[in-house]
Amino acid sequence: MKYAIFNNEDVSSRVVAKNLALEMRKHGLTVDNEEPDIVVSVGGDGTLLGAFQHYVNQIDHVRFVGLHTGHLGFYTDWLSTELDQLVDSLSHDNGQKVSYPLLELTVIQTTGEKSYYLALNEAVIKQPLGTLVADIYLGGEVFERFRGDGIAVATPTGSTAYNKANGGAVLHPALQAIQMSEIASINNRVFRTLGSPLIVPRDQEIVMRPQSNNFLVMYDQGEIASDHILELRFRVSEKCVHFARYRHVDFWRRVQNAFINDIE
């Protein structure tokens, strides 16, 4: 079993990552940042998104563990004060995992060239200036012409991020689905969209054909040049992200901790 440590550049995270590497070597664990079996992310949820994208070409066999240097997040089960317990769990790893669905984004250029991307959280298409105009297709047919600031398409685990801020629903990651939410859509007697989040199951696509220019295409922490994009397609990926889960924290408990706090 080989292990990688992926940390952000905060001083506290660098110190924790260094101490973690020392403890892992003391226990005879092999640190290999090139082709690991398990990736330990040290930082926050954003750091884990970075780790996911860094090892995205290896996700079929890589499992992730999140160690938070602040408070617990949606993807991080361990605190920096729990290094001993984490290393002990790594030492006794038996392949246990929990898997979550991913978003597959296909970008089709006007030349016909296709590019594929995976997102753990979401993809966002946004117009920084002016109004984004785009035709939305569902089931192979035009569903609506969107006008507004943009749209976000999220995975179930990403549904608690930008999607929730847009008024989207929080989806349990056991659901194999993606969700499209609108960002400041224009709705009046002339222009009309559904105005509600759309939840699309596996094997169906959301297709977006932009009718305006100079928009931004972002996925997790990445950005795609929008020049000459003809079409964007969103679907539940055939691939999943795998987490080495040594102790289970219920998803709804995570949501409660993040947004409501403990109820006495």
Side-chain angles (χ1 to χ4, degrees):
M1 193 77 69
K2 297 177 293 183
Y3 304 84
I5 299 174
F6 188 97
N7 60 277
N8 62 32
E9 292 305 310
D10 290 347
V11 174
S12 59
S13 296
R14 293 203 304 267
V15 171
V16 170
K18 181 179 179 180
N19 291 336
L20 176 61
L22 290 172
E23 289 300 316
M24 290 171 68
R25 290 190 175 97
K26 287 180 183 178
H27 286 73
L29 303 179
T30 302
V31 178
D32 183 346
N33 291 326
E34 299 301 320
E35 296 183 349
D37 299 297
I38 295 178
V39 176
V40 181
S41 168
V42 180
D45 283 345
T47 308
L48 199 142
L49 288 177
F52 167 79
Q53 290 297 337
H54 185 81
Y55 292 100
V56 70
N57 293 327
Q58 302 180 48
I59 61 167
D60 287 337
H61 67 269
V62 166
R63 288 175 292 147
F64 295 88
V65 177
L67 188 155
H68 212 304
T69 51
H71 55 81
L72 291 180
F74 279 97
Y75 297 118
T76 52
D77 290 338
W78 300 86
L79 291 172
S80 58
T81 55
E82 300 175 308
L83 290 187
D84 290 342
Q85 298 97 308
L86 173 57
V87 172
D88 182 67
S89 294
L90 292 171
S91 300
H92 294 88
D93 179 87
N94 61 9
Q96 63 267 54
K97 66 181 179 180
V98 60
S99 301
Y100 296 149
L102 295 171
L103 169 66
E104 178 181 298
L105 166 61
T106 303
V107 178
I108 303 176
Q109 305 289 342
T110 53
T111 60
E113 180 183 356
K114 295 182 180 180
S115 302
Y116 302 91
Y117 305 87
L118 291 178
L120 176 56
N121 250 17
E122 66 206 0
V124 177
I125 294 82
K126 200 168 185 180
Q127 190 83 19
L129 295 173
T131 301
L132 175 69
V133 180
D135 289 335
I136 306 297
Y137 290 72
L138 295 173
E141 298 183 356
V142 178
F143 180 76
E144 66 181 18
R145 172 160 285 189
F146 173 87
R147 288 178 171 85
D149 284 357
I151 65 168
V153 183
T155 65
T157 47
S159 68
T160 58
Y162 204 173
N163 170 80
K164 181 178 180 298
N166 295 333
V170 175
L171 294 185
H172 194 284
L175 298 173
Q176 298 285 319
I178 55 174
Q179 180 174 184
M180 187 189 88
S181 58
E182 300 178 354
I183 306 170
S185 60
I186 298 173
N187 281 287
N188 52 38
R189 289 187 298 174
V190 179
F191 305 129
R192 177 64 55 187
T193 67
L194 182 64
S196 298
L198 289 169
I199 298 173
V200 176
R202 178 183 288 278
D203 299 327
Q204 290 193 16
E205 283 188 326
I206 300 170
V207 178
M208 174 183 172
R209 292 182 180 172
Q211 304 297 311
S212 56
N213 299 313
N214 301 320
F215 53 91
L216 300 176
V217 181
M218 297 163 284
Y219 64 102
D220 287 349
Q221 297 178 331
E223 186 172 329
I224 305 167
S226 63
D227 296 340
H228 311 299
I229 289 180
L230 175 67
E231 186 174 279
L232 299 107
R233 298 181 179 180
F234 310 89
R235 60 177 310 208
V236 178
S237 174
E238 296 297 325
K239 296 180 179 292
C240 293
V241 61
H242 308 293
F243 288 87
R245 187 53 52 84
Y246 304 121
R247 57 185 182 186
H248 179 68
V249 180
D250 181 74
F251 177 75
W252 296 123
R253 181 65 174 175
R254 293 172 188 266
V255 174
Q256 182 191 47
N257 289 341
F259 299 108
I260 301 173
N261 275 329
D262 292 335
I263 300 175
E264 298 295 338

